[in-house]
Amino acid sequence: MLDHCSISHKGGIVLWSRSFTPAAAQAAASSSSPVNSLIREALIEGRTAEDKYEKDGYAVKWSFVNDLELIFVAYQRILQLTYIDELLATLKNIFVKLFEPFLATFLASLHAATSGSAIIASGQSAASWNFAKAFENWDAVFDRILHGLESKAAQDRKARYKPVQISIEPSPPSDDMSTIPSQSAETTVDEEQIARNVQALKNRLRGKGARGGRRGPGRSDIGSGRESLPGSDSDTPVKRKTKTKTQRKWGEQAPTESDMASLDFSYEKPGDADANRGSLDLNALVDRDSLGTRTQNGMYEVKDWEFGLKDSAADDMISKALMSSQTSKPTSSSGSLGALGSLFARLTGSKVLTEDDLKPVLEGMKQHLMKKNVAKEIADKVCEGVGESLVGKKVGGFQTINAAVRLALSNSLTRILTPKTSTDLLLSIRTKLSAPLPSSQQRMPYSITFVGVNGVGKSTNLSKVCFWLIQNGLRVLIAACDTFRSGAVEQLRVHVRNLSMLGVNGATDSKGRVELYERGYGKDAAGIAKEAIAYARDHDFDVVLIDTAGRMQDNEPLMRALAKLVATNNPDKIIFVGEALVGNEAVDQLTKFDRALRDFSAASGGVGKQRGIDGMLVTKWDTVDDKVGAALSMTYVTGQPIIFVGCGQTYTDLRQLRVSNVVQAILSD
């Protein structure tokens, strides 16, 4: 059954509501009600194109009346009711028809209050409206509508499950003789015939074996996949002779143990660090042009990604789509009067946007977003949300449909990309490190886990984050939890060696500020991470960066192993590392990674239950120019912010994103 239905203004004022169960009434009265959660997590973030919103076991659906700024909301338990969409559409039409004069006056009072004049001509303020009296007859109308839809749904169910009447009258006997079942006479087979059949089968098998190739002395029917019958000549099993592989000799002399030791670079040998220090060009590790800035209090901040300002051609594309749609429309019989009427509407600002007006413009907008590398599914939802927010609105005096759509798109992109949580990672680290602890408890380090698919650059960008942390005076321990990929541990060892040679705020080097914790290959990654965090706690490290093996989002065993690492160690941040070139795959990757981490971590137990992705790091950002749609796709799917973007091969090639720059890049040509 239906649990709750409400009608409210977009500003948050509830005009009317009805709860059908005590639990629903209690949930609706709380600050974390499904309606409030819908406004915070869907409407404000621009996710209005979703079919429904689920919260605390409730499935919420909604509909808008944009010209009167009304929101109609109905929700129920996850069990679906078939008439919810029809109920919202009927309520919207009838409510507006019955109370449109009152709603227009109420809306005018709100606009007057926001403009500084709280009292309108009638002398009433926006806070003094008596909605119970104004809508006192609406309860009876709502009951009739709901009862009619429930009766209709019940009739549909009865018609769908109505039993079919089957006649069971006996049919007259048929004269067709072909319908009489035929009976085959049983033939008697004696023992001699059976013996002859067996011998014939043996002969055929021998013939097939001879045609298939000659049998050598070490080959039998069993070894070749054919079992011999009892009594045949090949009953005696023959043992297969195994051939031993001869050792290949390279040249005249085999390599000695000393030669093998000189070729083994798995572990750093004594004296190698000094040799590498002298031979390594430190300037190649740091790009001076991309170095961040230091604030007055000594903090090192990475640079912001800047988009080159260009003349946007999004307007031109949308205008072309609009003009082509207008030129293709046939003229009516009253063409001159219609043209004059539309001209008057445009000049006086009385043009009300309809779905037909917006359809060609939104189609052009969707194509533009997809060219910017936005996933098709996300582009569809963004355009649907923009269209729903504009239908029924009036265009200003000299404002074109193109300008109205562009402004609505810009606002929608800004809402989606604006972080809902803090992106100041350094503040989170120092807050945890400075938190007071009991005297008997040791301070735990701040742990960050990097996850993602294969080959996106997790280890490389982990080292960039490590450089940023070192420059801010923090001691970092890197945990090598990629125990599968060949060379993963050696790659991190090289990064640690390079980072230890780079200076910190003018110092000659940063030795002792970064170390590597590794246990080789083939080990349990969750256990290594746990040991690394304990080691960092005992040796006063501030941050632990956990590198994990790349895995595809559909590989359930590997996703379970990753969820085990998360559930066992409960890291402070889980950062998904993805490519800027990912395109449509971003939706599938992020959705399945987030869902698998939440589901499998809850099933495996531990302190990190139901942990999902906390943020994203987008790599290879310098390869996409202005096609930055992956940022929109990733943020839309998870609702989490993009903390950094990687844009090069040196340790300083790390950037932060500004929402305005990303929006400008998406809207540009």
Side-chain angles (χ1 to χ4, degrees):
M1 62 175 295
L2 189 66
D3 287 273
H4 183 82
C5 186
S6 67
I7 304 172
S8 58
H9 181 261
K10 288 185 177 181
I13 302 174
V14 180
L15 305 182
W16 175 88
S17 66
R18 168 83 68 85
S19 296
F20 295 87
T21 61
Q26 184 178 2
S30 65
S31 60
S32 59
S33 66
V35 177
N36 291 335
S37 300
L38 169 71
I39 294 173
R40 286 194 304 266
E41 301 177 11
L43 303 186
I44 293 179
E45 296 182 12
R47 303 170 189 270
T48 56
E50 301 286 348
D51 293 335
K52 66 179 179 180
Y53 170 78
E54 294 183 359
K55 179 70 174 180
D56 297 334
Y58 291 100
V60 187
K61 289 202 170 186
W62 63 93
S63 183
F64 297 117
V65 179
N66 290 316
D67 53 344
L68 296 176
E69 301 179 3
L70 298 180
I71 308 174
F72 291 76
V73 180
Y75 60 81
Q76 65 200 65
R77 286 295 177 182
I78 298 300
L79 181 63
Q80 278 290 346
L81 297 178
T82 57
Y83 56 83
I84 291 295
D85 294 329
E86 188 176 358
L87 173 65
L88 290 175
T90 306
L91 292 179
K92 183 169 65 173
N93 294 332
I94 296 179
F95 188 81
V96 171
K97 288 180 180 179
L98 290 178
F99 305 106
E100 186 171 10
F102 173 83
L103 295 173
T105 306
F106 168 70
L107 189 61
S109 70
L110 288 181
H111 292 171
T114 55
S115 62
S117 174
I119 307 298
I120 59 173
S122 61
Q124 282 186 303
S125 65
S128 64
W129 293 99
N130 188 352
F131 298 119
K133 183 178 180 181
F135 305 127
E136 59 182 353
N137 298 326
W138 175 246
D139 287 328
V141 177
F142 176 80
D143 291 336
R144 290 197 298 270
I145 296 173
L146 183 60
H147 179 70
L149 292 176
E150 288 178 344
S151 301
K152 181 181 177 182
Q155 292 176 1
D156 292 341
R157 286 196 300 271
K158 289 181 181 179
R160 188 162 52 248
Y161 297 111
K162 185 177 180 181
V164 180
Q165 298 294 334
I166 301 176
S167 176
I168 58 174
E169 296 180 1
S171 57
S174 174
D175 297 334
D176 189 2
M177 299 301 294
S178 62
T179 59
I180 300 177
S182 59
Q183 298 181 354
S184 60
E186 297 182 0
T187 58
T188 304
V189 181
D190 55 3
E191 295 181 359
E192 295 181 0
Q193 182 65 32
I194 294 176
R196 286 195 296 270
N197 293 340
V198 171
Q199 187 61 35
L201 179 60
K202 289 182 180 180
N203 295 335
R204 284 200 299 272
L205 290 176
R206 290 195 186 96
K208 288 182 179 179
R211 287 193 299 271
R214 293 183 61 187
R215 296 184 185 176
R219 185 172 179 181
S220 65
D221 286 327
I222 297 177
S224 61
R226 294 185 295 272
E227 296 183 2
S228 59
L229 295 175
S232 62
D233 296 339
S234 58
D235 287 347
T236 305
V238 181
K239 293 184 179 180
R240 177 183 296 178
K241 294 181 179 179
T242 57
K243 294 183 180 180
T244 58
K245 184 177 180 180
T246 57
Q247 184 177 4
R248 177 176 294 180
K249 294 183 179 180
W250 299 95
E252 297 180 356
Q253 186 177 2
T256 62
E257 292 185 1
S258 60
D259 295 335
M260 297 298 295
S262 63
L263 297 173
D264 186 5
F265 295 95
S266 299
Y267 297 93
E268 190 169 341
K269 304 174 183 62
D272 285 352
D274 296 334
N276 291 329
R277 184 186 297 271
S279 61
L280 187 64
D281 183 11
L282 297 182
N283 293 325
L285 304 177
V286 176
D287 185 4
R288 299 295 175 183
D289 295 334
S290 62
L291 269 173
T293 58
R294 289 201 175 271
T295 59
Q296 295 180 353
N297 56 2
M299 289 179 56
Y300 175 80
E301 295 182 350
V302 300
K303 282 187 175 182
D304 293 332
W305 175 73
E306 296 181 358
F307 172 68
L309 300 179
K310 299 178 182 178
D311 295 333
S312 174
D315 289 336
D316 298 338
M317 180 171 44
I318 296 175
S319 300
K320 291 177 181 178
L322 180 61
M323 293 176 61
S324 62
S325 65
Q326 290 176 346
T327 55
S328 61
K329 290 182 179 179
T331 56
S332 60
S333 57
S334 56
S336 58
L337 293 177
L340 290 175
S342 61
L343 177 61
F344 178 77
R346 286 196 298 271
L347 293 178
T348 58
S350 59
K351 170 63 177 174
V352 178
L353 297 179
T354 63
E355 292 184 1
D356 293 336
D357 296 328
L358 295 172
K359 185 176 180 180
V361 188
L362 294 176
E363 181 62 27
M365 179 199 304
K366 184 177 73 173
Q367 297 298 327
H368 177 75
L369 292 177
M370 292 171 62
K371 289 181 180 178
K372 292 295 181 176
N373 210 20
V374 179
K376 182 180 183 301
E377 179 182 350
I378 305 303
D380 289 335
K381 291 180 179 180
V382 170
C383 293
E384 288 176 15
V386 171
E388 289 180 2
S389 66
L390 290 176
V391 172
K393 281 195 172 183
K394 293 182 180 179
V395 180
F398 292 97
Q399 186 184 27
T400 62
I401 298 178
N402 177 17
V405 172
R406 179 178 173 80
L407 178 62
L409 176 61
S410 177
N411 294 335
S412 178
L413 297 180
T414 303
R415 286 196 303 270
I416 295 171
L417 292 169
T418 300
K420 311 307 179 295
T421 58
S422 175
T423 58
D424 194 343
L425 191 59
L426 197 60
L427 176 62
S428 301
I429 295 172
R430 291 183 171 170
T431 300
K432 179 176 181 177
L433 297 180
S434 61
L437 293 174
S439 58
S440 60
Q441 186 176 355
Q442 285 183 286
R443 178 176 59 84
M444 295 297 294
Y446 193 94
S447 55
I448 305 174
T449 301
F450 293 82
V451 302
V453 300
N454 309 77
V456 294
K458 291 184 295 298
S459 302
T460 302
N461 286 273
L462 179 146
S463 65
K464 296 179 184 179
V465 175
C466 182
F467 174 81
W468 170 67
L469 294 172
I470 293 173
Q471 295 300 314
N472 281 287
L474 299 172
R475 295 190 68 211
V476 183
L477 179 68
I478 298 178
C481 295
D482 184 357
T483 63
F484 176 76
R485 177 171 62 91
S486 299
V489 177
E490 288 76 14
Q491 180 184 7
L492 291 178
R493 185 177 293 113
V494 171
H495 283 309
V496 170
R497 182 198 66 195
N498 295 342
L499 290 170
S500 63
M501 295 179 185
L502 298 175
V504 181
N505 196 14
T508 55
D509 59 25
S510 56
K511 189 175 182 180
R513 291 190 173 273
V514 55
E515 289 185 18
L516 176 66
Y517 188 91
E518 55 96 2
R519 286 293 179 265
Y521 296 97
K523 306 295 193 306
D524 181 28
I528 295 176
K530 187 174 182 179
E531 293 175 5
I533 293 175
Y535 179 87
R537 177 198 60 199
D538 298 336
H539 293 80
D540 294 328
F541 281 92
D542 301 313
V543 183
V544 178
L545 302 181
I546 302 173
D547 185 32
T548 63
R551 65 205 73 209
M552 296 307 296
Q553 64 272 18
D554 296 319
N555 194 324
E556 182 177 338
L558 295 184
M559 294 305 298
R560 285 186 179 274
L562 182 62
K564 177 187 174 183
L565 185 149
V566 171
T568 303
N569 300 282
N570 193 24
D572 297 282
K573 274 296 186 200
I574 302 175
I575 297 180
F576 178 85
V577 184
E579 288 181 328
L581 295 165
V582 69
N584 291 329
E585 188 70 9
V587 178
D588 189 59
Q589 287 181 4
L590 275 165
T591 303
K592 292 183 178 178
F593 257 88
D594 190 66
R595 185 188 303 134
L597 286 177
R598 295 182 186 278
D599 295 345
F600 296 150
S601 61
S604 60
V607 291
K609 291 183 178 180
Q610 294 185 343
R611 287 290 307 277
I613 294 172
D614 299 318
M616 283 86 68
L617 194 157
V618 186
T619 65
K620 308 174 186 178
W621 192 261
D622 54 324
T623 63
V624 294
D625 194 22
D626 60 346
K627 295 178 174 58
V628 296
L632 179 65
S633 301
M634 293 181 177
T635 308
Y636 192 98
V637 170
T638 61
Q640 300 298 335
I642 294 177
I643 301 176
F644 294 114
V645 294
C647 55
Q649 297 297 320
T650 65
Y651 293 122
T652 57
D653 289 326
L654 201 65
R655 298 288 186 272
Q656 288 181 326
L657 287 184
R658 288 191 179 273
V659 174
S660 58
N661 290 339
V662 179
V663 172
Q664 189 176 15
I666 293 176
L667 294 179
S668 68
D669 187 13

